[in-house]
Amino acid sequence: MCGIVGGIAERNITEILIEGLKRLEYRGYDSAGVAVINQGQLLRERQVGKVINLADAVAAHHLQGNLGIAHTRWATHGKPSEQNAHPHASGNVAVVHNGIIENYQELKQELQQLGYVFSSQTDTEVVAHLVNHALKQTPDLLQAVQSIVPRLKGAYALGIVWTEQPDELIAVREGSPLVIGVGIGENFISSDQLALLPVTNRFIYLEEGDIVRLKRNSIEIFVNGQAIDRPVKELDAAVTNSSKGEYKHFMLKEIFEQPDAVQQTIAQALDADTLKPDFLAKANQTFAAIQQIQIIACGTSYHAGMVAKYWCEQIIGLPCHVEIASEYRYRHPVIVANTLFLCISQSGETADSLAALRDIQRRAKQKHIPIHTMAICNVSTSSMIRETDFHLLTLAGPEIGVASTKAFTTQLAALMLLVLKIGEIKQTLAESLKQDIIKALWHCPKVLNETLKNDTEILRLSSLFVEKQHCLFLGRGTHFPIALEGALKLKEISYIHAEGYAAGELKHGPLALVDNDMPVVILAPKDEMLDKLKSNMEEVQTRGGELFVFADEHSDIHAQDRKHVVHIPQVSEWLAPIIYCVPVQLLSYHVAVLRGTDVDQPRNLAKSVTVE
Ligand code: AGP
């Protein structure tokens, strides 16, 4: 989703801004732009399409300056076009914006009556005109911005420059992520620290309501007009590693990183055959008190939550509900005392998940209902981690491909650790089962590695999907969410229409779709549902459907005509979902590559969905 980079330095800033935008490409965008101030002049360049187009234009026109802002736009208001691309300007003010100004229509009318002419269909342009107008009364950029911010409704991050104060950049964070990169004699802003890693590894993470005045040698942060301090944090080297290495795409690299990512995630919690005593120790009292868990998440993270529901109820007998954040936040659910509200998110910045969390916190406080909040998240510096009572990090490292892969497997690993921990505290987990699961968790990275060896076989099968229009994914129990996840992966990167179903639902509708042209992917681990799943496979075969089965090596399922079988190494049934998502990730990846789509940045999608 839209990306912001800005900075002020002694050196020319345009190359830093362009490199920053390239590093934000993974977020998804349709146009890009940059504005710099050079000898009292505002110079702007905007282009539809990839950042490389912008880079070429910037080079061709020798755009240079010491102060600048840049942006990748993901269209919300107004189609992708040069006019709608940021930065937007009004007089000598330029603005980049991430998020949505919800009351822009009303502000636009007011500004039009004052004589301001709009050159775009965006909501952002109102901010440029408002600041320009405020500067006529208050000729100081910081004060002008402070005076207009209370008028903006919605979620936004802003970067603003003005030719009359060429030594400062003003930034605002209200509902959309924004960090400050702290340099030596130069300072920067960005919506993601990854954009600034070539210039610094020291960051200040802004909070909601922060307004910042950035100069070459100073950073001032204001909340409600009062100057405050925020700590500078240094990133370690592991977080800063984000290159594709030998892989053709980030997605493939991230699929192959899963054994390590899962290993890292479990190692933070486990000793040889037990949970570390200090693992989530701060939450011991809370875990003893909770009566149920309510999981809230979006997309892939929601699918991880669905798996956790099975685990939580079957392994430790604790009621667990799961809901998509965009629904939960608007349906005014009853808040039950002693619920653990668990948000799952790779980014920790997903607008719907954060809004649902904040809504629960606000309503519980209003009604004096005791609740607890927790995040399972991959970004230690995210809003979600800051705003919850407890957190458990997935140590997947930066995930750049839009399609979630290692974030998902590490979320599952983290969720299982959480189930074990709560079961241990509540004494609802049989010791022998706990031992079995811990053993299986340690074994998981090895099984993941073995599963990845099926890559060539899966590549071969993927050629059979290239011409298809539709595809079904079927699973049962904990593999129903994996079927949903498989369908999500295939549709988002290959653009083939795919549906995931609980296999037991086949006869209740989707079987009508099955014919010679319908590939049906089956997830068939060896568990108590296997015989029932075999019947479902027969139902598909009888109707001429072509089966692609990912089956346990001991499941007694073998290839036949129009029945392709990839054998998956044996694994504990509790952890099978962590393993069985790998073949569907690989299948989706190879189908997408063969269809020639943009695997890491699929059309219309963004990595971090920071607007509703
Ligand atoms: C799936 O591949 C997507 N990346 C998407 O569904 C994602 O899981 C969703 O947008 C939620 O993101 P989050 O985990 O960062 O909150």
Side-chain angles (χ1 to χ4, degrees), residues 552-573:
D552 185 283
E553 55 195 359
H554 302 295
S555 61
D556 201 23
I557 297 177
H558 303 286
Q560 292 169 355
D561 183 32
R562 292 177 63 75
K563 181 177 174 194
H564 312 271
V565 180
V566 177
H567 282 126
I568 303 296
Q570 195 181 14
V571 62
S572 145
E573 69 169 288

Side-chain angles (χ1 to χ4, degrees), residues 36 73 544:
V36 290
R73 173 172 187 255

Side-chain angles (χ1 to χ4, degrees), residues 429-450:
L429 172 62
E431 187 57 30
S432 59
L433 180 56
K434 182 171 133 195
Q435 295 287 321
D436 286 351
I437 294 176
I438 290 179
K439 209 157 126 202
L441 274 168
W442 280 123
H443 194 49
C444 224
K446 185 164 177 270
V447 186
L448 281 167
N449 266 320
E450 282 166 22

